[in-house]
mmCIF file with all atom_site columns, all heavy atoms in Angstrom:
data_model
loop_
_atom_site.group_PDB
_atom_site.id
_atom_site.type_symbol
_atom_site.label_atom_id
_atom_site.label_alt_id
_atom_site.label_comp_id
_atom_site.label_asym_id
_atom_site.label_entity_id
_atom_site.label_seq_id
_atom_site.pdbx_PDB_ins_code
_atom_site.Cartn_x
_atom_site.Cartn_y
_atom_site.Cartn_z
_atom_site.occupancy
_atom_site.B_iso_or_equiv
_atom_site.pdbx_formal_charge
_atom_site.auth_seq_id
_atom_site.auth_comp_id
_atom_site.auth_asym_id
_atom_site.auth_atom_id
_atom_site.pdbx_PDB_model_num
ATOM 1   N N   . THR J 1 2   ? 0.325  2.342  -0.497 1.00 93.00 ? 13  THR J N   1
ATOM 2   C CA  . THR J 1 2   ? 1.010  3.606  -0.603 1.00 93.00 ? 13  THR J CA  1
ATOM 3   C C   . THR J 1 2   ? 1.381  4.348  0.724  1.00 93.00 ? 13  THR J C   1
ATOM 4   O O   . THR J 1 2   ? 0.480  4.323  1.576  1.00 93.00 ? 13  THR J O   1
ATOM 5   C CB  . THR J 1 2   ? 0.143  4.539  -1.405 1.00 93.00 ? 13  THR J CB  1
ATOM 6   O OG1 . THR J 1 2   ? -0.408 3.914  -2.512 1.00 93.00 ? 13  THR J OG1 1
ATOM 7   C CG2 . THR J 1 2   ? 0.832  5.801  -1.910 1.00 93.00 ? 13  THR J CG2 1
ATOM 8   N N   . ASN J 1 3   ? 2.575  4.865  0.862  1.00 97.00 ? 14  ASN J N   1
ATOM 9   C CA  . ASN J 1 3   ? 2.931  5.733  2.011  1.00 97.00 ? 14  ASN J CA  1
ATOM 10  C C   . ASN J 1 3   ? 3.061  7.029  1.529  1.00 97.00 ? 14  ASN J C   1
ATOM 11  O O   . ASN J 1 3   ? 3.793  7.295  0.547  1.00 97.00 ? 14  ASN J O   1
ATOM 12  C CB  . ASN J 1 3   ? 4.275  5.211  2.626  1.00 97.00 ? 14  ASN J CB  1
ATOM 13  C CG  . ASN J 1 3   ? 4.129  3.820  3.136  1.00 97.00 ? 14  ASN J CG  1
ATOM 14  O OD1 . ASN J 1 3   ? 3.294  3.462  3.931  1.00 97.00 ? 14  ASN J OD1 1
ATOM 15  N ND2 . ASN J 1 3   ? 5.138  2.944  2.788  1.00 97.00 ? 14  ASN J ND2 1
ATOM 16  N N   . ILE J 1 4   ? 2.397  8.034  2.203  1.00 98.00 ? 15  ILE J N   1
ATOM 17  C CA  . ILE J 1 4   ? 2.487  9.440  1.820  1.00 98.00 ? 15  ILE J CA  1
ATOM 18  C C   . ILE J 1 4   ? 2.793  10.337 2.961  1.00 98.00 ? 15  ILE J C   1
ATOM 19  O O   . ILE J 1 4   ? 2.507  10.032 4.091  1.00 98.00 ? 15  ILE J O   1
ATOM 20  C CB  . ILE J 1 4   ? 1.152  9.924  1.003  1.00 98.00 ? 15  ILE J CB  1
ATOM 21  C CG1 . ILE J 1 4   ? 0.005  9.852  2.111  1.00 98.00 ? 15  ILE J CG1 1
ATOM 22  C CG2 . ILE J 1 4   ? 0.903  8.966  -0.069 1.00 98.00 ? 15  ILE J CG2 1
ATOM 23  C CD1 . ILE J 1 4   ? -1.218 10.670 1.527  1.00 98.00 ? 15  ILE J CD1 1
ATOM 24  N N   . ILE J 1 5   ? 3.236  11.520 2.583  1.00 98.00 ? 16  ILE J N   1
ATOM 25  C CA  . ILE J 1 5   ? 3.438  12.666 3.602  1.00 98.00 ? 16  ILE J CA  1
ATOM 26  C C   . ILE J 1 5   ? 2.393  13.753 3.086  1.00 98.00 ? 16  ILE J C   1
ATOM 27  O O   . ILE J 1 5   ? 2.299  14.013 1.884  1.00 98.00 ? 16  ILE J O   1
ATOM 28  C CB  . ILE J 1 5   ? 4.801  13.219 3.555  1.00 98.00 ? 16  ILE J CB  1
ATOM 29  C CG1 . ILE J 1 5   ? 5.810  12.266 4.159  1.00 98.00 ? 16  ILE J CG1 1
ATOM 30  C CG2 . ILE J 1 5   ? 4.851  14.499 4.323  1.00 98.00 ? 16  ILE J CG2 1
ATOM 31  C CD1 . ILE J 1 5   ? 7.211  12.690 3.963  1.00 98.00 ? 16  ILE J CD1 1
ATOM 32  N N   . LEU J 1 106 ? 8.602  5.700  0.518  1.00 96.00 ? 117 LEU J N   1
ATOM 33  C CA  . LEU J 1 106 ? 7.722  6.745  0.451  1.00 96.00 ? 117 LEU J CA  1
ATOM 34  C C   . LEU J 1 106 ? 7.192  6.899  -0.948 1.00 96.00 ? 117 LEU J C   1
ATOM 35  O O   . LEU J 1 106 ? 8.117  7.017  -1.865 1.00 96.00 ? 117 LEU J O   1
ATOM 36  C CB  . LEU J 1 106 ? 8.478  8.014  0.785  1.00 96.00 ? 117 LEU J CB  1
ATOM 37  C CG  . LEU J 1 106 ? 7.691  9.253  1.435  1.00 96.00 ? 117 LEU J CG  1
ATOM 38  C CD1 . LEU J 1 106 ? 6.754  8.871  2.643  1.00 96.00 ? 117 LEU J CD1 1
ATOM 39  C CD2 . LEU J 1 106 ? 8.723  10.251 1.905  1.00 96.00 ? 117 LEU J CD2 1
ATOM 40  N N   . ASP J 1 107 ? 5.839  6.931  -1.275 1.00 96.00 ? 118 ASP J N   1
ATOM 41  C CA  . ASP J 1 107 ? 5.436  7.034  -2.621 1.00 96.00 ? 118 ASP J CA  1
ATOM 42  C C   . ASP J 1 107 ? 5.241  8.482  -3.061 1.00 96.00 ? 118 ASP J C   1
ATOM 43  O O   . ASP J 1 107 ? 5.737  8.870  -4.222 1.00 96.00 ? 118 ASP J O   1
ATOM 44  C CB  . ASP J 1 107 ? 4.171  6.252  -2.785 1.00 96.00 ? 118 ASP J CB  1
ATOM 45  C CG  . ASP J 1 107 ? 4.416  4.739  -2.517 1.00 96.00 ? 118 ASP J CG  1
ATOM 46  O OD1 . ASP J 1 107 ? 4.950  4.017  -3.403 1.00 96.00 ? 118 ASP J OD1 1
ATOM 47  O OD2 . ASP J 1 107 ? 4.199  4.298  -1.388 1.00 96.00 ? 118 ASP J OD2 1
ATOM 48  N N   . SER J 1 108 ? 4.590  9.327  -2.319 1.00 97.00 ? 119 SER J N   1
ATOM 49  C CA  . SER J 1 108 ? 4.227  10.662 -2.671 1.00 97.00 ? 119 SER J CA  1
ATOM 50  C C   . SER J 1 108 ? 4.327  11.504 -1.508 1.00 97.00 ? 119 SER J C   1
ATOM 51  O O   . SER J 1 108 ? 3.903  11.238 -0.433 1.00 97.00 ? 119 SER J O   1
ATOM 52  C CB  . SER J 1 108 ? 2.824  10.860 -3.224 1.00 97.00 ? 119 SER J CB  1
ATOM 53  O OG  . SER J 1 108 ? 2.660  9.946  -4.308 1.00 97.00 ? 119 SER J OG  1
ATOM 54  N N   . VAL J 1 109 ? 4.849  12.798 -1.701 1.00 98.00 ? 120 VAL J N   1
ATOM 55  C CA  . VAL J 1 109 ? 4.771  13.892 -0.721 1.00 98.00 ? 120 VAL J CA  1
ATOM 56  C C   . VAL J 1 109 ? 3.834  14.841 -1.302 1.00 98.00 ? 120 VAL J C   1
ATOM 57  O O   . VAL J 1 109 ? 4.122  15.498 -2.324 1.00 98.00 ? 120 VAL J O   1
ATOM 58  C CB  . VAL J 1 109 ? 6.208  14.401 -0.483 1.00 98.00 ? 120 VAL J CB  1
ATOM 59  C CG1 . VAL J 1 109 ? 6.093  15.626 0.489  1.00 98.00 ? 120 VAL J CG1 1
ATOM 60  C CG2 . VAL J 1 109 ? 7.138  13.335 -0.002 1.00 98.00 ? 120 VAL J CG2 1
ATOM 61  N N   . ILE J 1 110 ? 2.675  15.103 -0.625 1.00 98.00 ? 121 ILE J N   1
ATOM 62  C CA  . ILE J 1 110 ? 1.661  15.896 -1.223 1.00 98.00 ? 121 ILE J CA  1
ATOM 63  C C   . ILE J 1 110 ? 1.787  17.297 -0.499 1.00 98.00 ? 121 ILE J C   1
ATOM 64  O O   . ILE J 1 110 ? 1.401  17.459 0.727  1.00 98.00 ? 121 ILE J O   1
ATOM 65  C CB  . ILE J 1 110 ? 0.384  15.335 -1.045 1.00 98.00 ? 121 ILE J CB  1
ATOM 66  C CG1 . ILE J 1 110 ? 0.294  13.980 -1.893 1.00 98.00 ? 121 ILE J CG1 1
ATOM 67  C CG2 . ILE J 1 110 ? -0.730 16.266 -1.543 1.00 98.00 ? 121 ILE J CG2 1
ATOM 68  C CD1 . ILE J 1 110 ? -0.948 13.230 -1.693 1.00 98.00 ? 121 ILE J CD1 1
ATOM 69  N N   . THR J 1 191 ? 9.498  12.854 -5.525 1.00 97.00 ? 202 THR J N   1
ATOM 70  C CA  . THR J 1 191 ? 8.293  12.417 -4.915 1.00 97.00 ? 202 THR J CA  1
ATOM 71  C C   . THR J 1 191 ? 7.263  13.488 -4.705 1.00 97.00 ? 202 THR J C   1
ATOM 72  O O   . THR J 1 191 ? 6.186  13.289 -4.250 1.00 97.00 ? 202 THR J O   1
ATOM 73  C CB  . THR J 1 191 ? 8.458  11.653 -3.561 1.00 97.00 ? 202 THR J CB  1
ATOM 74  O OG1 . THR J 1 191 ? 9.499  12.493 -2.859 1.00 97.00 ? 202 THR J OG1 1
ATOM 75  C CG2 . THR J 1 191 ? 9.034  10.318 -3.789 1.00 97.00 ? 202 THR J CG2 1
ATOM 76  N N   . LEU J 1 192 ? 7.649  14.815 -4.999 1.00 98.00 ? 203 LEU J N   1
ATOM 77  C CA  . LEU J 1 192 ? 6.781  15.877 -4.490 1.00 98.00 ? 203 LEU J CA  1
ATOM 78  C C   . LEU J 1 192 ? 5.607  16.055 -5.579 1.00 98.00 ? 203 LEU J C   1
ATOM 79  O O   . LEU J 1 192 ? 5.771  16.069 -6.742 1.00 98.00 ? 203 LEU J O   1
ATOM 80  C CB  . LEU J 1 192 ? 7.528  17.223 -4.530 1.00 98.00 ? 203 LEU J CB  1
ATOM 81  C CG  . LEU J 1 192 ? 6.872  18.447 -3.982 1.00 98.00 ? 203 LEU J CG  1
ATOM 82  C CD1 . LEU J 1 192 ? 6.597  18.337 -2.452 1.00 98.00 ? 203 LEU J CD1 1
ATOM 83  C CD2 . LEU J 1 192 ? 7.527  19.778 -4.284 1.00 98.00 ? 203 LEU J CD2 1
ATOM 84  N N   . ARG J 1 193 ? 4.408  16.164 -5.004 1.00 98.00 ? 204 ARG J N   1
ATOM 85  C CA  . ARG J 1 193 ? 3.080  16.558 -5.821 1.00 98.00 ? 204 ARG J CA  1
ATOM 86  C C   . ARG J 1 193 ? 2.512  17.702 -5.136 1.00 98.00 ? 204 ARG J C   1
ATOM 87  O O   . ARG J 1 193 ? 2.535  17.787 -3.872 1.00 98.00 ? 204 ARG J O   1
ATOM 88  C CB  . ARG J 1 193 ? 2.228  15.308 -5.850 1.00 98.00 ? 204 ARG J CB  1
ATOM 89  C CG  . ARG J 1 193 ? 2.871  14.030 -6.293 1.00 98.00 ? 204 ARG J CG  1
ATOM 90  C CD  . ARG J 1 193 ? 3.022  14.142 -7.898 1.00 98.00 ? 204 ARG J CD  1
ATOM 91  N NE  . ARG J 1 193 ? 3.737  12.807 -8.369 1.00 98.00 ? 204 ARG J NE  1
ATOM 92  C CZ  . ARG J 1 193 ? 5.040  12.591 -8.413 1.00 98.00 ? 204 ARG J CZ  1
ATOM 93  N NH1 . ARG J 1 193 ? 5.839  13.590 -8.114 1.00 98.00 ? 204 ARG J NH1 1
ATOM 94  N NH2 . ARG J 1 193 ? 5.465  11.482 -8.916 1.00 98.00 ? 204 ARG J NH2 1
ATOM 95  N N   . ILE J 1 211 ? -3.764 11.741 -7.586 1.00 96.00 ? 222 ILE J N   1
ATOM 96  C CA  . ILE J 1 211 ? -2.398 11.542 -7.382 1.00 96.00 ? 222 ILE J CA  1
ATOM 97  C C   . ILE J 1 211 ? -2.101 10.030 -6.984 1.00 96.00 ? 222 ILE J C   1
ATOM 98  O O   . ILE J 1 211 ? -1.259 9.377  -7.471 1.00 96.00 ? 222 ILE J O   1
ATOM 99  C CB  . ILE J 1 211 ? -1.749 12.461 -6.296 1.00 96.00 ? 222 ILE J CB  1
ATOM 100 C CG1 . ILE J 1 211 ? -1.695 13.910 -6.906 1.00 96.00 ? 222 ILE J CG1 1
ATOM 101 C CG2 . ILE J 1 211 ? -0.404 12.036 -5.962 1.00 96.00 ? 222 ILE J CG2 1
ATOM 102 C CD1 . ILE J 1 211 ? -1.405 14.958 -5.843 1.00 96.00 ? 222 ILE J CD1 1
ATOM 103 N N   . LEU J 1 212 ? -2.980 9.617  -6.032 1.00 96.00 ? 223 LEU J N   1
ATOM 104 C CA  . LEU J 1 212 ? -2.777 8.336  -5.489 1.00 96.00 ? 223 LEU J CA  1
ATOM 105 C C   . LEU J 1 212 ? -3.336 7.203  -6.467 1.00 96.00 ? 223 LEU J C   1
ATOM 106 O O   . LEU J 1 212 ? -2.876 6.020  -6.308 1.00 96.00 ? 223 LEU J O   1
ATOM 107 C CB  . LEU J 1 212 ? -3.532 8.138  -4.079 1.00 96.00 ? 223 LEU J CB  1
ATOM 108 C CG  . LEU J 1 212 ? -3.054 9.123  -3.068 1.00 96.00 ? 223 LEU J CG  1
ATOM 109 C CD1 . LEU J 1 212 ? -3.718 8.871  -1.746 1.00 96.00 ? 223 LEU J CD1 1
ATOM 110 C CD2 . LEU J 1 212 ? -1.616 9.136  -2.905 1.00 96.00 ? 223 LEU J CD2 1
#
Side-chain angles (χ1 to χ4, degrees):
T13 314
N14 296 312
I15 65 167
I16 293 174
L117 202 53
D118 297 280
S119 307
V120 176
I121 300 176
T202 44
L203 189 73
R204 306 285 179 270
I222 292 169
L223 301 187

